[in-house]
Amino acid sequence: MYSLGLDFGTNSLRAVVLDLEKGIEIADAVCNYPSGVDGVILDAGNPHLARQNPYDYHISMEKVIKDVVEKARRREKTFSQEKMIGIGVDTTGSTPLPVDENLIPLTFHNEFRRNNNAMAYLWKDHTSADEAEEITDLAEKIRPEYLARIGGVYSSEWFFSKLLHLARIDRRVFDATASFVELCDYIPAVLCGKNRPGEVIRSICAAGHKAMYNEDWGGLPDDEFLYKLDRSFKDIRKKLYEKAYPAGQPAGYLCEEWAKKTGLLPGIPVSVGAFDAHMGAVGAGVKPGVLVKVIGTSSCDMTVAPTGRKLRDIPGICGMVTHSIIPGFVGIEAGQSGVGDIFNWFVKRFAPAGIRDPHRQYSLAAAKIKPGQTGLLALDWHNGNRNILVDQKLTGLVLGLTLNTSPEEIYRTLIEATGFGARMIIERIEEYGVEINEIIATGGIPDKNPLLMQIYSDITGRVLKIAASQQTCAVGAAVFGAIAAGKQRGGFADVLDAQKKVCRFKKIVYRPDKNNKKVYDKIYRLYKGIHDAFGTKSANKNLYYVMKELLKIKGEVIPDG
Amino acid sequence: MYSLGLDFGTNSLRAVVLDLEKGIEIADAVCNYPSGVDGVILDAGNPHLARQNPYDYHISMEKVIKDVVEKARRREKTFSQEKMIGIGVDTTGSTPLPVDENLIPLTFHNEFRRNNNAMAYLWKDHTSADEAEEITDLAEKIRPEYLARIGGVYSSEWFFSKLLHLARIDRRVFDATASFVELCDYIPAVLCGKNRPGEVIRSICAAGHKAMYNEDWGGLPDDEFLYKLDRSFKDIRKKLYEKAYPAGQPAGYLCEEWAKKTGLLPGIPVSVGAFDAHMGAVGAGVKPGVLVKVIGTSSCDMTVAPTGRKLRDIPGICGMVTHSIIPGFVGIEAGQSGVGDIFNWFVKRFAPAGIRDPHRQYSLAAAKIKPGQTGLLALDWHNGNRNILVDQKLTGLVLGLTLNTSPEEIYRTLIEATGFGARMIIERIEEYGVEINEIIATGGIPDKNPLLMQIYSDITGRVLKIAASQQTCAVGAAVFGAIAAGKQRGGFADVLDAQKKVCRFKKIVYRPDKNNKKVYDKIYRLYKGIHDAFGTKSANKNLYYVMKELLKIKGEVIPDG
């Protein structure tokens, strides 16, 4: 038996066909979105705007499914459409779009065809910064519990900021909006031929992490709160939803129209959707005690904790939502605002012109430097600090500079800074009783930068593995498709059942070096000192010891330096 | 009438002939020292060693005096030896050398010819770091008053550190040492044909700034202190001196031998010597209310205050010595450990290869940036902090970094950091009642970097002028030669009398821009905050506001950024 996983990314849609017996992908396909710049609609006059054309989703989905099924057929003789028993979907998020009362995206109407405000609001659209601040302020005043689960600050990247922004800037589009639907809810609904917003099954992952949904307070924010935000939100809850569901439950079944378009059989169960990082975490092997870390331009860190015991809110952690990553567990999500972005900035701006593959050159040179040898220390806040400070108004710092400081030393120091940032998140989560014993890395960097991997292992004191699949998100989606199909029909009973078959790791495993760990423990204390001094209001510390300690550590590491 | 100024630098000896009527140099000459690397004797096994061969002084002096007199004769028909009425000498310091009982440098003896320990100990020789620490520790315990006038820490670059080091590492040389003589005292003695160490007139500039000499406690450190430093110092004061004299008094008169060697007439008065920076300050125009700032790889800042009123010791300022810069005034000297060195480091290490004249390129680009626009702030401690913290164990820092930070922004920020460091020194001096209304800049940078000059003017709120002469040190020396000759013989009555004739400035004058000053006042407060947090034990501050304030200032300066 097989299942199909669909992964709607920022620039393209990827699909895999998963062999449920062997637990491996037998085919994959990709389709780049045709609109905008790499699939993203930009506005020269507004750098914060990032939208997508819902038309792209339809076009790409038809193409990519036909493509991947055809590839599967060619690659495995035993493959046939009858054996495709489930479909799973993950998407970026929060990426909501306004739809009409027939679940048609407003931008499909002639009236709104060229109106960016009727498009899908891509996760990284930051036009609603003011609205996000309003929501945070109001919640702090009258509903602090809404913020406790989402790190204390409501982001401009999230559902209600975007909806409020739409209400404020484009009355015509807002008034025509019958509902505002997350992409991860919209796609399953389309595949299942639903044509009323009320029929859309909403994902608890999107609802809980981005829309302040929680059963503790009866689902979405209450009417009073929403009305205080904006008068036009008076009856908005009616246009939205009352209940959200975990992935793995069927959102519906493949409709005739989409069966015809794709060559699949109608009636295949389609799982409730979720965000890409979350399904990717499942595909990579997240479970209690294991942190999945997607390391790319930024990082996304995910783990789960059993729901059995009372879990306190963890301050400074972006999201804690029951059932959001693995049904039956509390999904915990955090992240670092800048990782690869910081190294890229340094290389792009400060590497001598003409140097070939500067990342590789600097990594090789930096690998010869011992922990503590640089005498340097940095704060990885070039793009703000998502966790554990949840503060965009922070900036990067480097100290310990001397007239001998070299670029490769700074390169190494920037990697170390992101490692210390990673450790801050892990320690904060553990302080609240959720253990993290192992890290599974995915994303663009782990394969390419063994230096970073070893440094992270030495700094965190954890074993780091790399997920073998390059398509953990699409694989995770396929896993949920197979769970929606159910064990009896040849699918999976649940996530842990699936992971035993699906999750594999690369041969190379990074283990902490005891001596390096000792040095990094000392430097980490200094990192924490400046982290708290610049990043929190409470720390009232003298920092006289920081430069002295770094020089002392340097002297211990290279006594003749 | 004319006078001769001799300026013994690190790599070469320079000479000028000064027309005392017109107040201008009519000739100059230079002679590079023949020994070592650019005149400095190094030791591949010991990077801290920097010595000079006294032979170089003799050879160069003969050559350069003949040369400059010949040039003067050719340039001015009215010039003749009879009109040369005085000679002045400045040298680097503390640069002492061991001599025998006939005032012959020990290294002239066959026995010590190849022994580096018998050479002159160049100011930047740092082999005596341990001994400097010993001296500081002992003085802190039993003679704190010794340290109060020299910034609180005795340096490895200074007289007694070097003498103690010699006693410890080379007993044979130490035992053969009849006296230890500063170069600025040795040269006048040689010119005057003295052949006993006891006849050498010692400079109050060298004695006061580098040898803890002060009339308040009877001259040099007392026997008990010296004996506690080292038993071999039991009778060392007898080998040294009891009294020191200000420049401008005659140290003696040109002897037959050197008159013959150089073609000058015997009997010309030779002024008591002083250090190059101090005579340079006089040549540039130092006077009460005026700070002369030599801006090169590091900075040397000098001013004077009337002796009339009781001047308190200024903590964190390197030296306060009565009569040291201008006789009759208290000479105040401070400095910054890294200025041009820091810009050179950045350009050398981080400028794209192949970029032509990166200092100029970055300066041009940085000049387009407004104060506050970068959002960056730096500490200029890449080479430690000489004043006002007197602490080598400090390091450089940059904060405010974002993914858009450019090299030219960092270049500008590094210049600003040295400007803030300059202001810290000025404000500290003013806190203790010594006004500084104007800055006269000399050294390698002022002519080459108008951006730096304007930034310094905006940050300090002072007018900055540039001394017109490229040879302020040698001119200053010539001024003291003419003072030693006396007004009656056609010389000068005193320094202020001389400066009216001699000191000229370039046409370009840098005046503070009111708006820039306002922005820099805000950033300076932030600089002070991190300066005190990392540089002093007492500051117990929260730094949460620093990054926020910088972003706020940036937002005010470029509202659409």
Side-chain angles (χ1 to χ4, degrees):
Chain A
M1 296 298 167
Y2 301 89
S3 74
L4 173 69
L6 297 171
D7 168 36
F8 287 78
T10 298
N11 315 111
S12 62
L13 165 60
R14 288 165 183 275
V16 298
V17 171
L18 185 69
D19 179 327
L20 303 178
E21 191 59 42
K22 297 183 188 145
I24 52 167
E25 308 116 85
I26 62 159
D28 58 22
V30 62
C31 178
N32 295 321
Y33 302 140
S35 303
V37 178
D38 296 331
V40 182
I41 291 161
L42 305 172
D43 178 346
N46 186 348
H48 305 297
L49 187 140
R51 306 277 157 87
Q52 283 186 325
N53 190 342
Y55 171 84
D56 290 6
Y57 306 139
H58 287 251
I59 289 289
S60 307
M61 187 154 61
E62 186 175 338
K63 191 167 173 303
V64 86
I65 296 177
K66 281 198 281 198
D67 203 12
V68 78
V69 168
E70 180 54 32
K71 278 185 183 169
R73 197 191 328 272
R74 265 186 277 151
R75 209 146 316 154
E76 295 245 3
K77 287 183 185 159
T78 56
F79 176 85
S80 74
Q81 278 97 317
E82 288 77 21
K83 292 185 177 167
M84 184 69 88
I85 59 167
I87 300 174
V89 175
D90 74 73
T91 73
T92 63
S94 171
T95 302
L97 58 148
V99 295
D100 70 12
E101 65 281 358
N102 299 313
L103 203 61
I104 307 288
L106 289 190
T107 184
F108 287 10
H109 291 271
N110 270 333
E111 187 187 354
F112 300 121
R113 181 154 296 169
R114 301 193 178 282
N115 188 335
N116 284 343
N117 299 322
M119 300 278 179
Y121 290 70
L122 188 60
W123 64 278
K124 64 178 174 179
D125 185 289
H126 289 118
T127 50
S128 47
D130 291 344
E131 289 82 4
E133 220 169 286
E134 264 185 68
I135 295 172
T136 301
D137 289 349
L138 182 64
E140 270 176 0
K141 253 182 252 157
I142 67 170
R143 299 289 187 275
E145 64 272 26
Y146 289 176
L147 300 178
R149 296 292 168 87
I150 53 172
V153 177
Y154 198 80
S155 163
S156 64
E157 294 187 359
W158 296 350
F159 186 84
F160 278 112
S161 300
K162 287 167 172 170
L163 184 55
L164 185 56
H165 184 65
L166 170 57
R168 297 276 168 78
I169 56 151
D170 200 325
R171 209 66 215 178
R172 276 182 52 238
V173 173
F174 180 76
D175 287 341
T177 299
S179 190
F180 209 47
V181 187
E182 281 284 356
L183 182 56
C184 69
D185 301 333
Y186 176 74
I187 297 297
V190 167
L191 286 173
C192 299
K194 304 195 177 183
N195 48 24
R196 292 282 176 273
E199 295 168 6
V200 177
I201 301 295
R202 309 281 183 149
S203 146
I204 202 162
C205 164
H209 284 284
K210 312 295 179 187
M212 297 180 278
Y213 174 97
N214 195 304
E215 291 185 355
D216 289 357
W217 51 78
L220 289 176
D222 61 66
D223 286 332
E224 187 198 346
F225 179 84
L226 292 168
Y227 180 73
K228 281 200 171 163
L229 269 186
D230 197 287
R231 301 244 166 140
S232 65
F233 274 11
K234 194 173 184 312
D235 294 315
I236 198 78
R237 264 188 75 151
K238 290 193 189 105
K239 292 186 173 182
L240 299 174
Y241 51 94
E242 288 300 315
K243 198 163 160 47
Y245 301 84
Q249 295 195 16
Y253 301 88
L254 191 68
C255 67
E256 290 287 347
E257 184 194 346
W258 274 91
K260 222 157 145 190
K261 276 185 183 174
T262 58
L264 293 174
L265 300 183
I268 301 174
V270 179
S271 166
V272 170
F275 289 149
D276 42 12
H278 290 194
M279 287 198 168
V282 166
V286 73
K287 60 183 178 184
V290 171
L291 182 85
V292 168
K293 195 169 178 73
V294 188
I295 311 172
T297 53
S298 61
S299 94
C300 184
D301 303 6
M302 290 153 291
T303 190
V304 294
T307 49
R309 68 220 153 89
K310 184 89 189 140
L311 206 61
R312 284 176 297 160
D313 299 329
I314 308 178
I317 293 302
C318 262
M320 293 178 66
V321 174
T322 305
H323 310 306
S324 75
I325 298 177
I326 304 182
F329 292 83
V330 179
I332 299 172
E333 186 196 328
Q336 297 175 257
S337 308
V339 182
D341 268 351
I342 297 177
F343 317 144
N344 283 333
W345 159 76
F346 182 70
V347 159
K348 195 174 135 199
R349 295 285 194 160
F350 301 95
I355 186 174
R356 271 187 59 197
D357 195 353
H359 280 296
R360 200 178 131 73
Q361 297 286 336
Y362 281 157
S363 286
L364 287 174
K368 290 180 190 145
I369 300 167
K370 292 182 194 169
Q373 184 179 335
T374 62
L376 297 167
L377 182 60
L379 286 172
D380 49 324
W381 299 349
H382 297 60
N383 203 18
N385 179 299
R386 194 175 302 152
N387 304 115
I388 57 175
L389 298 171
V390 200
D391 189 346
Q392 282 306 302
K393 293 190 173 171
L394 293 173
T395 49
L397 175 153
V398 181
L399 65 82
L401 298 165
T402 75
L403 297 175
N404 294 315
T405 300
S406 68
E408 56 264 29
E409 286 180 321
I410 292 187
Y411 190 80
R412 184 179 177 107
T413 303
L414 294 173
I415 292 177
E416 290 170 344
T418 62
F420 293 132
R423 180 165 165 182
M424 291 293 288
I425 291 173
I426 291 171
E427 293 201 348
R428 174 59 59 89
I429 292 173
E430 286 210 325
E431 264 171 55
Y432 285 75
V434 180
E435 263 181 41
I436 291 171
N437 306 315
E438 191 181 286
I439 299 170
I440 296 171
T442 70
I445 288 184
D447 266 332
K448 283 189 294 194
N449 200 325
L451 172 67
L452 175 140
M453 293 294 284
Q454 188 58 52
I455 288 174
Y456 277 27
S457 180
D458 291 342
I459 285 178
T460 61
R462 264 78 175 179
V463 168
L464 265 83
K465 295 176 182 168
I466 303 177
S469 172
Q470 298 289 336
Q471 302 275 8
T472 50
C473 296
V475 166
V479 159
F480 282 103
I483 292 170
K487 189 82 173 172
Q488 289 93 329
R489 297 185 55 195
F492 297 124
D494 56 28
V495 166
L496 301 179
D497 179 41
Q499 285 179 322
K500 277 177 223 149
K501 284 221 166 143
V502 167
C503 298
R504 284 178 189 77
F505 307 101
K506 303 227 161 154
K507 264 191 190 157
I508 187 160
V509 170
Y510 296 88
R511 295 176 199 286
D513 174 283
K514 227 170 104 184
N515 290 326
N516 290 352
K517 171 76 166 47
K518 260 188 213 163
V519 176
Y520 278 135
D521 281 349
K522 289 185 203 171
I523 304 175
Y524 178 66
R525 277 197 292 276
L526 304 178
Y527 176 89
K528 253 176 125 164
I530 57 170
H531 175 285
D532 291 353
F534 285 99
T536 72
K537 283 178 196 163
S538 53
N540 211 17
K541 277 184 187 173
N542 178 270
L543 297 174
Y544 182 72
Y545 66 99
V546 175
M547 291 174 181
K548 314 285 182 198
E549 278 290 314
L550 284 169
L551 289 173
K552 201 178 142 207
I553 293 167
K554 180 179 184 155
E556 288 162 4
V557 173
I558 42 160
D560 306 322
Chain B
M1 296 296 165
Y2 301 89
S3 74
L4 173 69
L6 297 172
D7 167 36
F8 288 78
T10 299
N11 314 112
S12 61
L13 165 60
R14 288 166 184 278
V16 299
V17 171
L18 186 69
D19 179 327
L20 302 179
E21 191 58 42
K22 298 183 188 145
I24 52 166
E25 308 115 86
I26 60 158
D28 58 23
V30 63
C31 178
N32 295 320
Y33 302 139
S35 303
V37 178
D38 296 331
V40 182
I41 291 161
L42 306 173
D43 177 345
N46 186 351
H48 306 297
L49 187 140
R51 306 275 156 88
Q52 282 186 326
N53 190 341
Y55 171 83
D56 289 7
Y57 307 138
H58 286 251
I59 288 289
S60 308
M61 186 154 61
E62 186 175 338
K63 190 168 173 305
V64 87
I65 296 177
K66 281 197 282 197
D67 202 13
V68 80
V69 168
E70 180 55 32
K71 278 185 183 170
R73 197 191 326 270
R74 266 185 278 152
R75 210 143 319 152
E76 295 243 5
K77 287 185 185 156
T78 57
F79 176 86
S80 73
Q81 278 98 315
E82 287 76 22
K83 292 186 179 168
M84 182 69 88
I85 59 166
I87 300 175
V89 176
D90 75 73
T91 73
T92 65
S94 171
T95 303
L97 57 149
V99 297
D100 69 13
E101 65 283 359
N102 298 315
L103 202 63
I104 307 290
L106 289 189
T107 184
F108 287 9
H109 291 270
N110 270 333
E111 186 187 354
F112 300 121
R113 180 154 298 170
R114 300 192 179 284
N115 188 336
N116 284 343
N117 299 322
M119 300 279 179
Y121 290 71
L122 189 60
W123 63 279
K124 65 177 174 179
D125 184 290
H126 289 118
T127 50
S128 47
D130 291 344
E131 288 81 4
E133 220 169 286
E134 264 184 69
I135 295 172
T136 302
D137 289 349
L138 182 65
E140 271 176 0
K141 252 181 254 160
I142 66 169
R143 298 288 186 277
E145 65 272 24
Y146 290 176
L147 301 178
R149 296 290 168 87
I150 53 171
V153 178
Y154 197 80
S155 164
S156 63
E157 294 187 358
W158 296 350
F159 186 84
F160 277 113
S161 301
K162 286 167 172 170
L163 184 56
L164 185 56
H165 184 66
L166 170 57
R168 296 277 167 80
I169 55 150
D170 200 325
R171 208 67 214 178
R172 274 182 53 237
V173 173
F174 180 76
D175 287 341
T177 299
S179 190
F180 209 48
V181 186
E182 281 284 356
L183 181 56
C184 69
D185 301 332
Y186 176 74
I187 297 295
V190 167
L191 286 173
C192 299
K194 303 194 177 182
N195 48 25
R196 292 280 175 278
E199 295 168 7
V200 177
I201 301 293
R202 310 281 183 149
S203 145
I204 203 163
C205 164
H209 283 284
K210 312 296 178 186
M212 298 182 278
Y213 174 97
N214 196 305
E215 290 185 357
D216 289 357
W217 51 78
L220 289 175
D222 61 66
D223 287 331
E224 187 198 344
F225 179 83
L226 293 168
Y227 181 72
K228 280 199 172 165
L229 269 186
D230 196 289
R231 301 242 164 142
S232 66
F233 274 12
K234 193 171 184 313
D235 293 316
I236 198 79
R237 265 187 75 151
K238 290 193 189 104
K239 292 185 171 182
L240 300 175
Y241 51 93
E242 288 302 313
K243 197 162 161 47
Y245 300 85
Q249 295 195 15
Y253 301 89
L254 190 68
C255 67
E256 291 287 347
E257 183 195 346
W258 274 90
K260 221 159 148 188
K261 275 185 181 175
T262 58
L264 293 175
L265 298 182
I268 302 174
V270 180
S271 166
V272 171
F275 289 148
D276 42 12
H278 290 194
M279 287 198 168
V282 166
V286 73
K287 61 182 177 184
V290 171
L291 182 84
V292 169
K293 195 170 178 72
V294 187
I295 312 173
T297 53
S298 60
S299 94
C300 184
D301 302 7
M302 290 153 291
T303 191
V304 294
T307 49
R309 68 222 154 91
K310 184 86 192 144
L311 206 62
R312 282 176 298 159
D313 299 329
I314 307 178
I317 292 301
C318 262
M320 293 177 66
V321 173
T322 305
H323 310 308
S324 76
I325 297 176
I326 304 182
F329 293 83
V330 179
I332 300 173
E333 185 196 329
Q336 297 175 258
S337 308
V339 182
D341 267 351
I342 296 177
F343 317 144
N344 282 334
W345 158 78
F346 182 69
V347 159
K348 195 175 135 200
R349 296 285 194 159
F350 300 96
I355 185 174
R356 270 187 59 197
D357 195 352
H359 280 296
R360 200 178 131 73
Q361 297 287 334
Y362 281 157
S363 286
L364 288 174
K368 291 179 191 147
I369 300 167
K370 291 181 195 168
Q373 185 179 334
T374 63
L376 296 168
L377 182 60
L379 287 172
D380 50 323
W381 298 349
H382 296 61
N383 203 20
N385 179 299
R386 193 175 303 154
N387 304 115
I388 57 173
L389 297 170
V390 199
D391 189 346
Q392 281 308 300
K393 293 190 172 171
L394 294 172
T395 49
L397 175 152
V398 181
L399 65 81
L401 298 165
T402 75
L403 296 175
N404 294 315
T405 300
S406 68
E408 56 265 29
E409 286 180 322
I410 292 187
Y411 190 80
R412 185 180 176 105
T413 303
L414 293 173
I415 292 176
E416 290 170 344
T418 62
F420 294 132
R423 180 164 165 184
M424 291 293 289
I425 291 173
I426 291 170
E427 294 201 347
R428 174 59 60 88
I429 292 173
E430 287 209 325
E431 264 171 55
Y432 284 75
V434 180
E435 263 182 42
I436 292 171
N437 306 315
E438 189 181 288
I439 299 170
I440 297 172
T442 70
I445 288 183
D447 265 333
K448 283 188 294 193
N449 200 326
L451 173 67
L452 175 140
M453 294 294 285
Q454 188 57 54
I455 288 174
Y456 277 26
S457 180
D458 291 342
I459 286 179
T460 62
R462 264 78 176 180
V463 169
L464 265 82
K465 296 177 181 169
I466 303 177
S469 172
Q470 298 290 335
Q471 302 275 7
T472 49
C473 296
V475 166
V479 160
F480 282 103
I483 293 171
K487 190 85 173 170
Q488 288 93 330
R489 298 186 52 195
F492 296 124
D494 55 29
V495 167
L496 300 180
D497 178 42
Q499 285 179 323
K500 276 177 225 151
K501 283 222 166 146
V502 168
C503 297
R504 285 178 187 79
F505 307 101
K506 303 224 161 155
K507 264 191 190 159
I508 186 159
V509 170
Y510 297 88
R511 296 176 199 284
D513 174 282
K514 225 170 103 185
N515 291 325
N516 291 351
K517 171 75 166 49
K518 259 189 214 162
V519 176
Y520 278 135
D521 281 349
K522 288 185 202 170
I523 304 176
Y524 178 65
R525 276 197 292 276
L526 305 178
Y527 176 89
K528 251 176 127 165
I530 57 170
H531 175 284
D532 291 353
F534 286 99
T536 71
K537 284 178 196 164
S538 52
N540 212 18
K541 278 184 185 173
N542 179 269
L543 297 174
Y544 182 74
Y545 66 99
V546 176
M547 292 173 181
K548 315 284 183 199
E549 278 291 314
L550 284 169
L551 290 173
K552 202 179 143 207
I553 293 167
K554 180 180 183 154
E556 287 163 4
V557 173
I558 42 162
D560 305 321

